[in-house]
């Protein structure tokens, strides 16, 4: 049952600069170009997390970027594929936010996503989450729980960087399925999302529990309402999308490191 306490206040803090950023990614193919470009070195997980699949790496702060911890969900030890989806994303985010390191200024969920022709999306478009995250497949029609299921958690306000990055702004809606059921479609039309993926809302929830603003940078691999099958589009566009994720994430990190005070 809903408890009597007031919910934790929800805010979208403006993030112009950051000293420390944690990046959470789902698939190794999405993460590899960025990890290479950062020159990120393997980071050992704490003992309590050493049996978990997530893969951690670290790149120190430079003049051009903040200190970065890159955490990738890793390979599912039971099924042998990338551990995509909200459960692994939440676990990875929890590990990455509980390292023996100073608290980050920002958590970023970075990855591929679906978009819609009806919303004017094109393959290769990049989005920053704004103004909030949502979930489209958590349907709990009970008092208090319905709203929890919608999971409309605020996104960190990264709007000042959007034009420099060539990013659009939009609501990012997460669900644990790659396809879009009829019910998902109705709920996404209702929640106004322009981006559909499987992790961001889970990362935002964990970020919120740790008091760290959460943003998302997503690039479109597939158009859900196109006549071409979503999986075929995804496979065809994944490698290009990973390059886009590399370049846009580096550009965002550069914006966050810039010191305009001269
Ligand atoms: N079939 C793929 C697995 C992709 S799982 C393979 O065999 O490799 C989908 C991953 O891409 C998730 O991490 C999700 O966040 C993202 N994604 C991209 N397009 C999506 C879409 N249309 N719907 C949901 N998730 C999508």
């Amino acid at each position: 049952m809903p408890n009597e306490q007031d919910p934790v206040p929800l805010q979208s803090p403006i993030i112009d600069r950051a000293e420390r950023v944690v990046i959470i990614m789902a698939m190794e193919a999405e993460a590899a170009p960025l990890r290479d470009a950062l020159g990120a070195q393997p980071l050992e997980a704490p003992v309590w997390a050493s049996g978990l699949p997530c893969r951690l790496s670290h790149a120190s702060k430079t003049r051009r970027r903040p200190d970065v911890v890159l955490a990738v969900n890793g390979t599912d030890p039971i099924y042998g594929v990338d551990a995509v989806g909200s459960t692994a994303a939440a676990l990875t985010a929890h590990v990455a936010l509980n390292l023996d390191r100073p608290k980050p200024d920002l958590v970023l969920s970075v990855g591929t996503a679906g978009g819609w022709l009806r919303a004017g999306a094109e393959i290769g478009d990049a989005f920053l989450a704004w103004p909030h995250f949502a979930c489209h497949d958590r349907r709990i029609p009970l008092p208090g729980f319905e709203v929890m299921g919608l999971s409309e958690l605020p996104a960190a306000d990264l709007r000042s960087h959007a034009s420099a990055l060539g990013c659009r702004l939009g609501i990012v809606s997460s669900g644990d399925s790659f396809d879009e059921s009829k019910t998902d479609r109705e709920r996404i039309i209702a929640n106004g999302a322009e981006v559909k993926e499987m992790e961001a809302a889970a990362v935002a929830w964990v970020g919120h529990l740790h008091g760290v603003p959460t943003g998302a940078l997503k690039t479109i691999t597939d158009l859900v309402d196109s006549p071409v099958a979503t999986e075929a589009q995804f496979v065809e566009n994944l490698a290009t999308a990973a390059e886009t994720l590399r370049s846009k994430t580096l550009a965002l990190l550069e914006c966050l490191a810039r010191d305009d005070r001269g």
Side-chain angles (χ1 to χ4, degrees):
M1 289 294 113
N3 70 27
E4 299 294 314
Q5 288 173 351
D6 288 337
V8 184
L10 298 175
Q11 294 167 348
S12 293
I14 296 172
I15 308 285
D16 286 335
R17 304 285 171 264
E19 293 280 319
R20 296 174 178 279
V21 176
V22 164
I23 296 175
I24 312 291
M25 297 180 81
M27 297 181 69
E28 180 56 25
E30 294 170 332
L34 177 63
R35 189 191 295 111
D36 284 354
L38 289 169
Q41 297 302 310
L43 190 63
E44 209 172 321
V47 174
W48 60 268
S50 58
L52 302 178
C54 60
R55 179 172 172 193
L56 303 170
S57 56
H58 172 249
S60 299
K61 178 175 162 50
T62 69
R63 284 189 57 220
R64 288 169 68 100
R65 60 163 194 255
D67 182 277
V68 177
V69 169
L70 173 61
V72 184
N73 288 357
T75 304
D76 185 301
I78 301 166
Y79 302 105
V81 292
D82 292 304
V84 299
S86 65
T87 309
L91 195 56
T92 302
H94 186 65
V95 172
L97 291 174
N98 282 284
L99 300 174
D100 189 15
R101 307 179 62 80
K103 187 170 163 168
D105 308 299
L106 176 68
V107 189
L108 277 177
S109 169
V110 173
T112 57
W116 290 270
L117 291 165
R118 66 157 192 266
E122 293 180 19
I123 303 291
D125 280 355
F127 279 85
L128 290 172
W130 181 258
H132 56 252
F133 301 94
C135 279
H136 51 264
D137 68 353
R138 305 204 314 169
R139 302 178 296 279
I140 321 167
L142 292 165
F145 293 89
E146 175 104 55
V147 177
M148 184 186 84
L150 297 176
S151 197
E152 295 196 351
L153 298 170
D157 188 348
L158 296 165
R159 283 178 295 171
S160 64
H161 310 297
S163 61
L165 298 174
C167 280
R168 298 173 59 172
L169 300 170
I171 295 169
V172 175
S173 190
S174 306
D176 268 308
S177 295
F178 185 65
D179 70 351
E180 184 192 49
S181 70
K182 184 170 170 291
T183 315
D184 292 343
R185 182 181 136 81
E186 288 163 6
R187 292 175 70 88
I188 289 168
I189 288 171
N191 76 15
E194 292 187 54
V195 180
K196 172 181 182 288
E197 49 75 90
M198 299 172 65
E199 292 87 13
V203 174
W205 187 69
V206 176
H208 193 67
L209 295 180
H210 289 84
V212 182
T214 306
L217 173 58
K218 300 283 161 173
T219 187
I220 303 299
T221 41
D222 52 273
L223 297 166
V224 178
D225 52 357
S226 142
V228 183
T230 310
E231 305 82 71
Q233 297 181 63
F234 177 84
V235 170
E236 182 174 342
N237 297 316
L238 178 59
T240 317
E243 286 305 318
T244 306
L245 292 173
R246 175 187 58 76
S247 62
K248 300 273 184 201
T249 306
L250 289 177
L252 175 57
L253 293 171
E254 200 163 318
C255 289
L256 293 169
R258 193 170 296 140
D259 186 348
D260 293 334
R261 288 165 300 183

